[in-house]
Amino acid sequence: MREVLDDLVAAIRAGHTVGLGTVVRTFRSAPRPAGAAMMVDADGRAVGSVSGGCVEGALYELATQVAHDGRPVLQRYGISDDDAFEVGLTCGGILDVFVEPVSAETFPQLPQVADDVGAGRPVAMVTVIEHPDPAWVGRHLVVRPDGFSGSLGSDRADHAVCDDVQGLLAAGRNATLSYGPDGQRRGEGMRVFAVSFAPQPRMLVFGAIDFAAAVAKQGSFLGYRVTVCDARPVFATAARFPQADEVVVEWPHRYLQAQIGAGQVDDRTVICVLTHDPKFDVPLLALALRHNVAYVGAMGSRRTHHDRLERLREAGLTEAELSKLSSPIGLDLGSRTPEETAVSIAAEIIALHWGGEGGRLSSMDARIHHEPMADAGHEDAGTNVGIPDPQRFGLM
């Protein structure tokens, strides 16, 4: 969704109505996760993607129609003998796509949502995708940590959905949720789709070396907010790390401790320790491995790795804590250059997030797309934080 948001807001401000298709549920090997979106603007221009090309032609026609007649549609795209090479998914997956007209009249809160996203403030959009009363379909609720704006159709439904979506927002997740027609938690009849815009996850790169510049570039490409930190001011300069969002001159463990204390490190944060110098990396890793983060990797040879483990044990770390360390950092790609090494590090982060094994797909007989971690009670859930999804490896 994030990739079409600016174009949606520009169209609304210009007084146009556009057709927007959003993936709200996926089955089997669907190529894009829930939250992927494509819009067709008033000039017939398509922005975004829901399937990587399989059904975009059919969706383009449907979105154009919906923008014209104003009636939202929940459309399923799947594979069959008849439609596999027309509007189906040749990969064998199934997508439910909600197609709606978007304008200043249908979604007046959207510019404020875009402002929140741009400022890094957490916000979620909720859309009614099914309801016994057609008048409810396409209504929106905007949920923030401190409340909501808009209405789905009743006070009861608004508060029930807001409570549940605030939980999704805190976790940075998208999901389709089911309720009774008036928001009853045990009922059936109404389904809503919630897409969460959490602040960017962070990548902390310690060690201002040439490998760090390449890792920062990969992290930025994957959608992280990248910080490079080093205690040496002559090396830690913005000019050497143009892809980083910030470059900090500080002792690594002091900086990490301050960020943890400020609540700026969470379970989506990835930490890459490239210093391979005991005076820097031992106190830093001792702190990082005791905190709940998504990934901690450290560069160094096998000999450096074993020496580092002994020093960390002497510092009091348990074997359980040490098991969280990815060292030597990265996957075995045969990497030599900083750029190739950065790709191997990014690949390891992605594999750990999605549960991939890092092997060659051509030598495997398993499914290509791993299932995202589902939330109990949600029909379908996908994450748009942590590792950003394959749109830009970006947030939805």
Side-chain angles (χ1 to χ4, degrees), residues 123-195:
V123 63
M125 300 189 319
V126 182
T127 306
V128 179
I129 60 173
E130 279 188 333
H131 199 280
D133 183 351
W136 283 54
V137 178
R139 290 179 177 172
H140 301 97
L141 196 71
V142 175
V143 177
R144 298 180 176 87
D146 59 352
F148 65 87
S149 61
S151 179
L152 302 179
S154 76
D155 187 66
R156 177 178 182 173
D158 293 342
H159 282 87
V161 172
C162 177
D163 287 346
D164 292 340
V165 172
Q166 283 177 333
L168 292 174
L169 182 57
R173 301 189 64 82
N174 304 334
T176 298
L177 308 175
S178 295
Y179 301 89
D182 195 36
Q184 301 94 326
R185 294 186 182 277
R186 294 184 178 274
E188 296 181 355
M190 179 173 72
R191 288 203 300 156
V192 304
F193 179 68
V195 56

Side-chain angles (χ1 to χ4, degrees), residues 29-393:
S29 294
R32 303 298 294 276
M38 186 183 99
M39 62 162 278
V40 179
D41 67 15
D43 297 323
R45 182 175 63 105
V47 179
S49 171
V50 298
S51 71
C54 300
V55 302
E56 264 73 4
L59 179 57
Y60 180 92
E61 298 298 329
L62 181 57
T64 302
Q65 173 192 320
V66 166
H68 177 73
D69 64 28
R71 292 193 294 270
V73 175
L74 180 61
Q75 179 68 44
R76 173 163 291 183
Y77 295 101
I79 189 168
S80 73
D81 292 338
D82 295 329
D83 68 11
F85 293 99
E86 296 179 11
V87 298
L89 297 170
T90 57
C91 62
I94 298 173
L95 298 176
D96 282 349
V97 182
F98 184 71
V99 189
E100 60 182 312
V102 178
S103 66
E105 181 179 355
T106 66
F107 202 166
Q109 306 98 329
L110 190 59
Q112 287 72 44
V113 171
D115 289 342
D116 285 339
V117 173
R121 295 186 293 266
V123 63
M125 300 189 319
V126 182
T127 306
V128 179
I129 60 173
E130 279 188 333
H131 199 280
D133 183 351
W136 283 54
V137 178
R139 290 179 177 172
H140 301 97
L141 196 71
V142 175
V143 177
R144 298 180 176 87
D146 59 352
F148 65 87
S149 61
S151 179
L152 302 179
S154 76
D155 187 66
R156 177 178 182 173
D158 293 342
H159 282 87
V161 172
C162 177
D163 287 346
D164 292 340
V165 172
Q166 283 177 333
L168 292 174
L169 182 57
R173 301 189 64 82
N174 304 334
T176 298
L177 308 175
S178 295
Y179 301 89
D182 195 36
Q184 301 94 326
R185 294 186 182 277
R186 294 184 178 274
E188 296 181 355
M190 179 173 72
R191 288 203 300 156
V192 304
F193 179 68
V195 56
S196 298
F197 297 94
Q200 284 178 285
R202 299 190 68 186
M203 173 181 280
L204 305 181
V205 182
F206 294 97
I209 61 175
D210 51 355
F211 287 91
V215 172
K217 186 175 183 179
Q218 283 290 322
S220 178
F221 175 70
L222 294 179
Y224 288 99
R225 181 165 67 89
V226 180
T227 299
V228 175
C229 176
D230 196 293
R232 303 165 297 177
V234 68
F235 296 112
T237 65
R240 295 189 67 226
F241 302 99
Q243 299 292 333
D245 294 282
E246 58 182 349
V247 179
V248 176
V249 178
E250 178 59 280
W251 276 78
H253 71 284
R254 292 175 183 168
Y255 176 73
L256 182 59
Q257 182 65 71
Q259 292 298 293
I260 292 173
Q264 297 300 307
V265 175
D266 59 26
D267 59 4
R268 304 173 302 147
T269 302
V270 300
I271 297 174
C272 301
V273 179
L274 312 182
T275 52
H276 52 82
D277 182 333
K279 69 177 178 290
F280 291 121
D281 60 18
V282 170
L284 173 63
L285 288 169
L287 180 61
L289 293 171
R290 286 171 169 151
H291 198 70
N292 184 24
V293 297
Y295 172 84
V296 181
M299 179 175 283
S301 66
R302 296 287 181 187
R303 181 176 179 178
T304 298
H305 168 66
H306 291 302
D307 175 71
R308 180 187 293 133
L309 288 180
E310 288 306 311
R311 291 174 182 269
L312 289 170
R313 289 187 181 101
E314 291 172 3
L317 270 75
T318 66
E319 294 304 314
E321 290 166 339
L322 292 176
S323 70
K324 297 188 292 183
L325 176 61
S326 295
S327 173
I329 196 170
L331 293 185
D332 177 18
L333 304 184
S335 308
R336 296 294 183 90
T337 68
E339 291 75 18
E340 290 171 347
T341 301
V343 170
S344 80
I345 294 170
E348 182 177 41
I349 293 170
I350 295 166
L352 288 175
H353 176 77
W354 290 107
E357 296 297 328
R360 299 185 66 190
L361 292 174
S362 62
S363 64
M364 300 167 61
D365 193 27
R367 291 176 57 182
I368 294 175
H369 301 289
H370 291 256
E371 291 293 339
M373 187 180 301
D375 286 327
H378 299 163
E379 292 184 22
D380 179 67
T383 183
N384 68 359
V385 294
I387 301 300
D389 84 84
Q391 281 190 65
R392 171 191 169 254
F393 271 102

